[in-house]
Amino acid sequence: MDEQLFFKKLNSLCTSKEILYFLSSLEVMSDTMASGALQKISELEVDDNGLKTPALLENEVFRALCFQFEFESSKLSNTGLLNALQALIKLCIDPESTLMTSLLSESEERLGRGQLTAEHLCALGESLLELEGPSCAMLEQIVNHLQERDIKSWSPREIVMVYKILQVTVREGKGWQSLLNRLNGVTLRAASQLSPNFVSVILNSLVALHQTRAVLLVTALCKHSVQHVPYFTDHELVNVLEAFLYFGQKMQVFTEALERHVPKSLHTMHPQTVSKVMQYCCKMMILSKPIFDAVAEGFISSAERLTTDQIAAYIIPFGTLNYLPPSASFLFRKLETVLHTRLSHFQPHTLLNLLHSCVLIQRYPINFLPKIFSPYFLQKLQAQPPGLNRVVMSQLTQLFLTVTLECPFYEGPKLLSKYQVKAFPTLQSPLDVHLFKRVKTGLLYLLKKRIYFASEVSTPYFYVVDIEIKLDEEGFVLPAAQLEEVHRRIALCVDGQNRFCAHSHNLLGEEAIKQRHLQLLGYEVVQIPFFEIESLQNTRKIADYLHKKIFPCTYGLSN
């Protein structure tokens, strides 16, 4: 039968039984046709659970096909040999069988003789990765041959396969950066034609290969991934999000694509994918209300099916980004129920991160704090990485300060002083140096002398105040160093862009709780956000603005 006619007929068949019956009617067929039939059978017979019909391997026609490949391997075409090898690996044929040994041995000989094209090298590499994993010695040989080939004519499938092979060989400590540089250049030109799967695989390889210098390629792939968001599988979307995180890519169009896709697909998405979406939003400080609202609803309806790590991944971003969804009361009621039934299942650091994120948005885990402050739990925290480092102790201290200031009715165990830090710099966003300098210049113009305000003041209550101004009983400004007759203290919070969610005026949870606590500790908190001051052109205008904000009752006295 003519090959073209054969493959047309083969592709119209829907079961392996039909294929084997069709093959039994043929007197002669080429090795390409036979290997094509094996590939079609493997596509139909293998799913995520393995081989659907194990009895297939005992079928007379199937065994006859295998016999041909086993005893005539040296006569096979490269395509026939490598297609058959791929199909038989997929069908879980014993790697130690004489059939597989014969095909692998013939492949190795042809590789050594340099008889394989780039397409065949990639096919062999794919088979070896599937069969033997990254430790396979022949993979290095394949890469050596690929180095010598002209890669400009490679198909997207070949490009993807080479990335996969390099991903494991480089991990083994072998350097192929010159080949990678050429490959990255070719991929950049083909980026706009890549399928969702190919985009995901390549981005995953670029992360594994630490290709931080391939900025143009990474940017092109991330831009191209926007149109694929609705079509990525869960696994593919996770790969893409990990690449965005690793390379620090933050694109508004990508966020918008996620906002269109996630809310309507959440009920079918794997919880691990949802967790990765929330991690991406949290790390990139992206407060996406459509995504957060949908995730809150999803948590309410399916929290029982989530692992403890997934529960934390769903909830922590709400605290970090200082956002309460419309369903907040149901969300935190559900969280409390889950914690009551599964508290002992949480890893210590996961539980601390989760409860700390709750207090940032004024959701107080009163019932669970006795456990957190218990010596036994603190010992468990210390025993597991990262131990009781400064960040962990800052979280514990802030939890303790929260119940002290905001939950005076709490009568459980207290946090021992040896677990408390003296200041919270690790939990606060650093100062925007440029903005801070402009505010100090404006204050100097307003107050005339530098002695009337202090900057970066440590308080007895763990927080560091950006700028502190002291007033006496009559409202006059006192020298910052004066300790007596201080009637009022004003804390200026100089909030740069890094203290807000991305492209938003929504203060981050850590900054919101700091300002809340400073007020409860007796400070008059005055927020100086970047978006109010960035348009002011000169020092006089900044001083005027500060006078209105800090001393609204006496505005005009400095003129």
Side-chain angles (χ1 to χ4, degrees), residues 344-469:
S344 61
H345 299 174
F346 281 84
Q347 290 296 312
H349 287 280
T350 305
L351 183 60
L352 176 61
N353 288 333
L354 177 60
L355 298 186
H356 177 258
S357 72
C358 290
V359 300
L360 299 181
I361 42 177
Q362 296 176 276
R363 290 299 182 268
Y364 309 112
I366 296 297
N367 296 326
F368 310 107
L369 289 180
K371 178 184 174 77
I372 297 292
F373 296 149
S374 71
Y376 174 69
F377 183 81
L378 294 168
Q379 284 169 11
K380 284 175 73 177
L381 272 179
Q382 191 160 17
Q384 293 184 7
L388 285 173
N389 66 13
R390 193 159 177 75
V391 173
V392 173
M393 288 178 69
S394 294
Q395 288 179 317
L396 286 167
T397 308
Q398 198 166 50
L399 265 176
F400 176 62
L401 185 60
T402 299
V403 293
T404 304
L405 294 175
E406 301 185 57
C407 310
F409 49 86
Y410 173 73
E411 295 178 350
K414 310 293 185 192
L415 182 67
L416 296 175
S417 58
K418 68 177 180 178
Y419 296 111
Q420 297 176 25
V421 293
K422 292 180 180 176
F424 286 147
T426 48
L427 293 182
Q428 291 171 223
S429 303
L431 276 166
D432 179 326
V433 178
H434 178 64
L435 178 65
F436 193 51
K437 189 176 177 183
R438 293 187 75 202
V439 171
K440 286 199 295 184
T441 305
L443 270 180
L444 189 58
Y445 187 94
L446 175 64
L447 301 177
K448 310 304 181 194
K449 289 185 180 179
R450 181 65 180 81
I451 62 165
Y452 289 118
F453 63 93
S455 54
E456 297 183 81
V457 179
S458 294
T459 69
Y461 316 106
F462 318 110
Y463 291 106
V464 176
V465 174
D466 296 337
I467 293 174
E468 183 184 61
I469 298 171

Side-chain angles (χ1 to χ4, degrees), residues 162-182:
V162 176
Y163 272 116
K164 278 186 175 179
I165 296 169
L166 285 171
Q167 186 172 335
V168 295
T169 52
V170 172
R171 273 182 180 171
E172 293 294 306
K174 306 172 182 73
W176 309 106
Q177 192 57 51
S178 61
L179 174 58
L180 261 170
N181 291 342
R182 288 161 58 210

Side-chain angles (χ1 to χ4, degrees), residues 88-356:
L88 293 168
I89 289 170
K90 199 172 179 183
L91 287 164
C92 307
I93 302 298
D94 180 7
E96 303 297 321
S97 65
T98 53
L99 167 62
M100 295 299 283
T101 306
S102 174
L103 294 178
L104 285 165
S105 175
E106 182 62 30
S107 300
E108 188 171 9
E109 280 183 34
R110 295 188 193 189
L111 174 65
R113 294 196 297 264
Q115 291 179 309
L116 302 180
T117 65
E119 181 185 356
H120 296 135
L121 288 167
C122 290
L124 178 58
E126 189 171 13
S127 295
L128 293 171
L129 273 175
E130 185 74 28
L131 193 64
E132 298 183 37
S135 58
C136 176
M138 268 199 281
L139 288 172
E140 187 175 350
Q141 243 183 304
I142 290 171
V143 178
N144 280 326
H145 282 288
L146 288 168
Q147 286 239 76
E148 300 161 9
R149 305 300 164 94
D150 177 18
I151 68 176
K152 290 176 186 173
S153 58
W154 287 359
S155 68
R157 179 175 170 74
E158 289 160 6
I159 289 170
V160 166
M161 203 56 242
V162 176
Y163 272 116
K164 278 186 175 179
I165 296 169
L166 285 171
Q167 186 172 335
V168 295
T169 52
V170 172
R171 273 182 180 171
E172 293 294 306
K174 306 172 182 73
W176 309 106
Q177 192 57 51
S178 61
L179 174 58
L180 261 170
N181 291 342
R182 288 161 58 210
L183 190 62
N184 291 345
V186 170
T187 308
L188 177 59
R189 290 190 285 277
S192 61
Q193 287 121 44
L194 296 173
S195 68
N197 175 254
F198 287 173
V199 169
S200 170
V201 170
I202 294 172
L203 280 172
N204 180 247
S205 295
L206 292 172
V207 170
L209 293 163
H210 310 298
Q211 293 298 289
T212 50
R213 293 186 179 180
V215 179
L216 291 176
L217 175 57
V218 169
T219 305
L221 290 172
C222 288
K223 280 182 180 174
H224 185 53
S225 70
V226 172
Q227 69 190 65
H228 291 322
V229 166
Y231 311 107
F232 285 128
T233 64
D234 279 345
H235 177 68
E236 289 164 359
L237 183 56
V238 167
N239 280 349
V240 171
L241 288 165
E242 283 176 346
F244 268 78
L245 284 167
Y246 181 81
F247 294 111
Q249 291 283 329
K250 185 160 60 178
M251 296 178 180
Q252 186 61 27
V253 285
F254 182 73
T255 303
E256 289 166 2
L258 286 176
E259 287 178 341
R260 290 190 295 272
H261 173 65
V262 173
K264 65 182 181 186
S265 308
L266 194 82
H267 63 288
T268 58
M269 288 174 79
H270 192 281
Q272 203 56 40
T273 312
V274 180
S275 299
K276 187 58 69 174
V277 170
M278 291 301 275
Q279 184 195 1
Y280 169 74
C281 290
C282 194
K283 292 266 177 151
M284 293 299 192
M285 303 301 180
I286 297 168
L287 175 54
S288 167
K289 292 182 181 179
I291 292 174
F292 278 48
D293 292 351
V295 169
E297 294 290 346
F299 183 87
I300 292 163
S301 63
S302 64
E304 292 80 7
R305 298 198 294 273
L306 303 179
T307 66
T308 52
D309 283 344
Q310 288 164 356
I311 289 167
Y314 275 51
I315 299 298
I316 287 172
F318 287 94
T320 304
L321 303 188
N322 187 28
Y323 177 64
L324 287 171
S327 58
S329 58
F330 297 103
L331 174 66
F332 287 96
R333 200 175 302 151
K334 185 73 169 193
L335 176 61
E336 187 168 11
T337 303
V338 170
L339 286 173
H340 271 300
T341 55
R342 297 171 64 186
L343 192 68
S344 61
H345 299 174
F346 281 84
Q347 290 296 312
H349 287 280
T350 305
L351 183 60
L352 176 61
N353 288 333
L354 177 60
L355 298 186
H356 177 258

Side-chain angles (χ1 to χ4, degrees), residues 1 25-30 33:
M1 180 183 279
S25 68
L26 302 175
E27 290 184 18
V28 181
M29 63 179 140
S30 68
M33 292 157 72

Side-chain angles (χ1 to χ4, degrees), residues 446 448 476 547 553-559:
L446 175 64
K448 310 304 181 194
F476 290 108
H547 198 160
C553 298
T554 60
Y555 177 62
L557 295 184
S558 65
N559 296 329

Side-chain angles (χ1 to χ4, degrees), residues 517-542:
H517 283 179
L518 287 175
Q519 279 186 315
L520 290 169
L521 290 164
Y523 280 92
E524 293 176 31
V525 175
V526 177
Q527 190 187 12
I528 310 294
F530 74 95
F531 50 85
E532 288 183 2
I533 209 168
E534 62 187 356
S535 61
L536 302 177
Q537 301 300 320
N538 55 48
T539 303
R540 184 180 176 83
K541 286 186 177 178
I542 293 171

